[in-house]
Amino acid sequence: MRNNVFKMIVLVIHATKIENPKKLNGENPKNIRLFLNLLTLNAMTLLNYLIDLFFPPQCQACKSILTDNEFQICVACRHQLPVTNYHFQQDHPLNHLFFGRIHFVASTSLFYFQKHSRVQTLLHNLKYNQQKSVGTTLGLWLGTEMKISKRFDKIDIIVPVPTHKRRLKKRGYNQVLPFAMAIAKVFDIPCVDTVLIKIKHAKTQVFQTKEERWNSVVHNFQMAKSEVVFGKHVLLVDDLITTGATIEACSKVLLDTGVKHLSLATIAIASSMFR
């Protein structure tokens, strides 16, 4: 990309040197058009190249400098990130997590999550550093593989797990939404983030037990637009599964208000769930 910057600069300089701009007249329309085209059509491209030259894009997982052919996540990280491949498996641990409580037609998570890992860095950038494009990248990645697996072909609509309005105001966006919208784009189905609302602003659940988490979220969610999902197969989407309490609470609200079938997709699932 940095070579392109210099090529662009050379082109602009070359265009100005074909003829002295002071001498450009109606007898040299070709030179005039070339000069104006380079200045107008390539202005933003040149600006973007210059930004990349002085502030090169970094991998959102390991912070290494990305090459021209890499976007958001470097090739090395893509090969090293702990993918689950649950969407290609008929039976997997996530199926058993909600056994006897919630039935999901199909379920998957893209990664296994561990503390101080590259997956945690990705989620942190998405959630706290305004890097919504991380969610889009991961949604396109998982959505494409879900499409290939054929196990999610019958979903009608995607519903992201909502965030409370207080946290939404502070953060500026629901970090789950870019991920959910990208999956919706792959499947060419609607993604509606106004179906569920979070009515209680719960404190962090990091240090809570599974039972404490369930008690803190069981009444946190409420249906806002049941007519949108009534009788449909809903794909519920979230960023991270730890104990599954949030997913279970949202699922019960959806099923109690007329959703016919549920499937599940998340960015990651905590490895500690299977110890």
Side-chain angles (χ1 to χ4, degrees):
M1 182 174 291
R2 282 161 285 284
N3 290 334
N4 291 334
V5 175
F6 297 112
K7 289 179 182 178
M8 189 72 68
I9 294 173
V10 169
L11 282 173
V12 173
I13 294 174
H14 179 65
T16 63
K17 292 177 67 176
I18 293 175
E19 291 287 351
N20 188 327
K22 294 182 179 179
K23 295 182 180 180
L24 287 175
N25 52 48
E27 297 177 359
N28 301 293
K30 182 178 179 180
N31 294 341
I32 295 173
R33 285 196 301 271
L34 176 59
F35 179 71
L36 293 177
N37 285 342
L38 284 169
L39 288 181
T40 56
L41 296 179
N42 293 317
M44 289 306 299
T45 303
L46 180 59
L47 178 61
N48 289 333
Y49 281 151
L50 288 172
I51 291 173
D52 288 344
L53 178 64
F54 294 104
F55 305 98
Q58 296 180 322
C59 173
Q60 295 290 339
C62 71
K63 296 185 179 181
S64 64
I65 303 300
L66 296 176
T67 66
D68 288 357
N69 297 322
E70 296 175 332
F71 181 72
Q72 292 291 320
I73 304 172
C74 69
V75 172
C77 282
R78 281 184 176 268
H79 286 292
Q80 295 177 30
L81 286 167
V83 295
T84 70
N85 287 320
Y86 285 166
H87 34 281
F88 294 119
Q89 303 170 23
Q90 189 66 34
D91 188 32
H92 52 74
L94 186 53
N95 279 342
H96 303 290
L97 180 60
F98 300 97
F99 184 79
R101 296 180 290 163
I102 304 294
H103 172 68
F104 291 108
V105 175
S107 59
T108 190
S109 288
L110 182 57
F111 303 126
Y112 291 109
F113 174 90
Q114 288 184 329
K115 291 183 178 180
H116 312 299
S117 67
R118 299 184 188 196
V119 174
Q120 183 177 29
T121 301
L122 285 171
L123 290 176
H124 183 86
N125 286 335
L126 169 62
K127 195 170 184 177
Y128 301 109
N129 292 339
Q130 301 292 314
Q131 297 297 322
K132 292 185 281 187
S133 55
V134 172
T136 301
T137 298
L138 298 180
L140 293 174
W141 180 348
L142 181 58
T144 300
E145 294 190 354
M146 290 167 61
K147 189 80 171 176
I148 294 171
S149 77
K150 305 291 185 182
R151 298 179 59 238
F152 296 83
D153 284 354
K154 294 184 179 180
I155 56 176
D156 302 308
I157 188 171
I158 293 178
V159 173
V161 170
T163 188
H164 191 269
K165 60 182 180 181
R166 189 185 305 174
R167 187 160 291 170
L168 188 63
K169 183 178 181 180
K170 180 179 180 180
R171 188 176 297 152
Y173 62 97
N174 177 358
Q175 77 278 1
V176 181
L177 187 56
F179 177 67
M181 289 179 66
I183 297 176
K185 182 177 181 180
V186 173
F187 281 88
D188 193 24
I189 59 175
C191 173
V192 184
D193 65 338
T194 54
V195 170
L196 291 173
I197 57 174
K198 191 171 185 179
I199 57 177
K200 291 184 179 180
H201 181 61
K203 296 181 180 179
T204 180
Q205 302 174 13
V206 173
F207 302 106
Q208 293 181 347
T209 65
K210 185 174 182 179
E211 183 178 355
E212 288 171 339
R213 284 181 181 233
W214 170 248
N215 290 332
S216 68
V217 302
V218 62
H219 300 301
N220 279 6
F221 302 96
Q222 183 175 294
M223 177 63 74
K225 295 184 178 180
S226 59
E227 70 278 3
V228 176
V229 293
F230 184 83
K232 294 184 178 180
H233 185 165
V234 171
L235 178 69
L236 182 62
V237 175
D238 202 2
D239 53 353
L240 175 64
I241 297 178
T242 48
T243 63
T246 296
I247 293 295
E248 184 175 354
C250 289
S251 297
K252 286 186 177 297
V253 172
L254 289 167
L255 292 171
D256 288 346
T257 50
V259 167
K260 187 175 182 180
H261 298 296
L262 271 180
S263 287
L264 174 66
T266 71
I267 296 176
I269 181 168
S271 298
S272 58
M273 292 297 299
F274 309 115
R275 290 174 183 172

